[in-house]
Amino acid sequence: MRYITFALAKGRLAKKTLSLLEQIGITCEEMKDEKTRKLIFVNEELKLKFFLSKASDVPTYVEYGAADIGVVGKDTILEEGRNLYEVLDLGFGKCKMCVCGPKDAKKYLNGSQLIRVASKYPNIAKEYFYNKKLQTVEIVKLNGSVELAPIVGLSEVIVDIVETGSTLRENGLEVLEEICPLSARMVVNQVSQRMEQERISKIVIELKKLLDEKKQR
């Protein structure tokens, strides 16, 4: 029997995923050692492997078959646009992708003029403005604090993840439009889904049952 490999986004998502997996009997004790320098963790008994990666790389590992299963935020899935199956909403890491800016920037969103949109998520921004709003915009990719862009005049609005909105309010910005809800999702390699359907489906079904039970409590 071959190993099934999980790629998990480093940080909170990985910790919460491992906690869920433990509840359906999938454990990996090696991963609990925070001082370890190991890159790949193995559960020999269940023939499973795990590794942690930067969130934006998880869909790449899964698409190319280096991992059979991945857990990553919906924002990363949308931005990366990889060919994979999204099989389960894990229900944690909930937030929203939004268009934000100063209150008076709402007038720029009617599609009548060319504006600049700053974002860490240029593909999501482009898809939303070009294909959903049918508005031509100039998209500026930033890697740091995008909230700064409208304040210093780099852009009229931004596209970013909003959890509580406190950072926006502190900087005189607000949500102008909601693009989509986000949360942690489980994704599967397309070939693995066929070749290891029984084993992968068992994991997905057990997780779904667990999540449904939690909702009913």
Side-chain angles (χ1 to χ4, degrees):
M1 184 166 42
R2 79 174 191 91
Y3 289 94
I4 283 181
T5 302
F6 285 78
L8 307 179
K10 284 178 184 173
R12 279 188 305 175
L13 249 58
K15 284 179 181 170
K16 290 199 170 186
T17 304
L18 289 168
S19 170
L20 274 182
L21 289 171
E22 273 195 359
Q23 291 171 64
I24 62 164
I26 293 174
T27 57
C28 190
E29 293 303 316
E30 291 182 313
M31 293 191 85
K32 292 180 181 175
D33 179 5
E34 291 186 8
K35 291 177 185 171
T36 185
R37 289 175 175 266
K38 272 191 168 188
L39 296 174
I40 295 182
F41 306 89
V42 183
N43 180 324
E44 288 291 357
E45 188 187 347
L46 296 174
K47 285 283 184 268
L48 299 173
K49 287 182 182 176
F50 301 83
F51 64 85
L52 301 173
S53 103
K54 192 174 175 182
S56 56
D57 292 335
V58 170
T60 309
Y61 283 119
V62 174
E63 182 186 27
Y64 284 95
D68 302 290
I69 298 172
V71 174
V72 72
K74 177 70 174 175
D75 53 302
T76 307
I77 296 167
L78 290 171
E79 183 61 25
E80 292 300 314
R82 297 285 176 180
N83 291 315
L84 33 76
Y85 294 129
E86 185 184 316
V87 294
L88 193 60
D89 182 347
L90 295 173
F92 56 79
K94 285 189 175 179
C95 45
K96 291 171 184 165
M97 187 67 73
C98 301
V99 180
C100 313
K103 193 173 188 175
D104 65 358
K106 187 90 176 162
K107 63 178 180 283
Y108 298 123
L109 301 177
N110 59 14
S112 61
Q113 55 188 307
L114 181 68
I115 61 166
R116 270 200 205 132
V117 179
S119 185
K120 292 178 194 171
Y121 304 94
N123 292 329
I124 293 174
K126 191 175 179 181
E127 166 67 23
Y128 181 67
F129 278 96
Y130 281 46
N131 298 336
K132 288 196 177 158
K133 285 177 67 68
L134 304 177
Q135 180 174 357
T136 304
V137 297
E138 183 184 351
I139 292 164
V140 181
K141 185 179 190 309
L142 289 178
N143 299 304
S145 303
V146 285
E147 295 87 4
L148 196 58
I151 298 167
V152 299
L154 175 65
S155 69
E156 280 75 25
V157 295
I158 62 173
V159 166
D160 203 19
I161 290 174
V162 177
E163 206 164 341
T164 63
S166 57
T167 307
L168 292 175
R169 288 190 293 273
E170 282 168 18
N171 291 288
L173 307 175
E174 60 181 59
V175 171
L176 303 173
E177 291 179 355
E178 285 184 14
I179 297 176
C180 62
L182 305 170
S183 56
R185 309 294 167 99
M186 180 169 275
V187 293
V188 177
N189 172 272
Q190 293 182 343
V191 175
S192 303
Q193 180 65 35
R194 291 196 300 274
M195 305 290 285
E196 294 288 348
Q197 187 181 6
E198 195 176 322
R199 291 169 73 199
I200 290 172
S201 294
K202 184 173 183 284
I203 293 167
V204 174
I205 289 163
E206 287 181 5
L207 277 174
K208 190 175 186 314
K209 188 180 169 193
L210 174 68
L211 293 167
D212 287 345
E213 285 169 3
K214 283 178 182 283
K215 277 182 197 168
Q216 288 163 13
R217 280 177 204 161

